[in-house]
């Protein structure tokens, strides 16, 4: 089990190299629609418990989680780690500090 905080430079590079199996935007649907990381799906933080069956198929895969400022993604990473997830990544300081273009 590992949780790794990544800065925006590293996240951009890893996305370009298709190193993540799943990218989750934990923000609200409204915020997601205003711009999100390339390839990200939207699972607002309050829906994580309802999505565990879906998430369980990624237990041994690389998952990047991010939120607005980085605190929620770290919390969700810890919860997933306790539930047996192997490779968890959090965008340090959230999308607020992401310096690159977003998808809409």
């Amino acid at each position: 089990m590992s949780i790794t905080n990544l800065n925006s430079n590293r996240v951009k590079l890893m996305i370009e190299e298709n190193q993540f199996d799943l990218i989750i935007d934990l923000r609200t649907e409204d915020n997601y629609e205003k711009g999100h990381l390339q390839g990200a799906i939207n699972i607002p933080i309050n829906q994580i418990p309802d999505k565990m069956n879906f998430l369980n198929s990624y237990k041994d895969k690389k998952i990047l989680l991010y939120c607005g400022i980085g605190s929620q993604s770290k919390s969700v990473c810890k919860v997933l780690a306790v539930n047996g997830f192997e490779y968890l990544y959090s965008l340090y300081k959230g999308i607020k500090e992401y310096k690159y273009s977003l998808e809409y």
Side-chain angles (χ1 to χ4, degrees), residues 63-89:
I63 303 173
L64 171 67
L65 296 108
Y66 69 92
C67 58
I69 61 171
S71 57
Q72 291 180 328
S73 59
K74 284 194 284 189
S75 296
V76 173
C77 280
K78 288 176 186 171
V79 169
L80 293 178
V82 166
N83 283 282
F85 286 76
E86 294 286 328
Y87 308 104
L88 300 165
Y89 301 85

Side-chain angles (χ1 to χ4, degrees), residues 11-90:
V11 166
K12 181 181 185 294
L13 179 64
M14 290 178 77
I15 289 173
E16 288 172 350
E17 295 176 350
N18 292 315
Q19 291 188 36
F20 298 113
D21 297 295
L22 183 62
I23 301 172
I24 301 173
D25 185 322
L26 296 166
R27 301 172 302 149
T28 63
E29 187 176 345
D30 274 356
N31 284 328
Y32 175 82
E33 290 175 0
K34 290 176 185 169
H36 53 270
L37 297 183
Q38 179 184 341
I41 64 168
N42 184 222
I43 304 177
I45 191 166
N46 63 332
Q47 293 179 20
I48 291 292
D50 299 331
K51 301 291 185 182
M52 285 306 290
N53 282 339
F54 165 74
L55 294 173
N56 279 332
S57 62
Y58 289 91
K59 271 193 174 178
D60 61 347
K61 309 280 188 201
K62 291 182 178 180
I63 303 173
L64 171 67
L65 296 108
Y66 69 92
C67 58
I69 61 171
S71 57
Q72 291 180 328
S73 59
K74 284 194 284 189
S75 296
V76 173
C77 280
K78 288 176 186 171
V79 169
L80 293 178
V82 166
N83 283 282
F85 286 76
E86 294 286 328
Y87 308 104
L88 300 165
Y89 301 85
S90 177

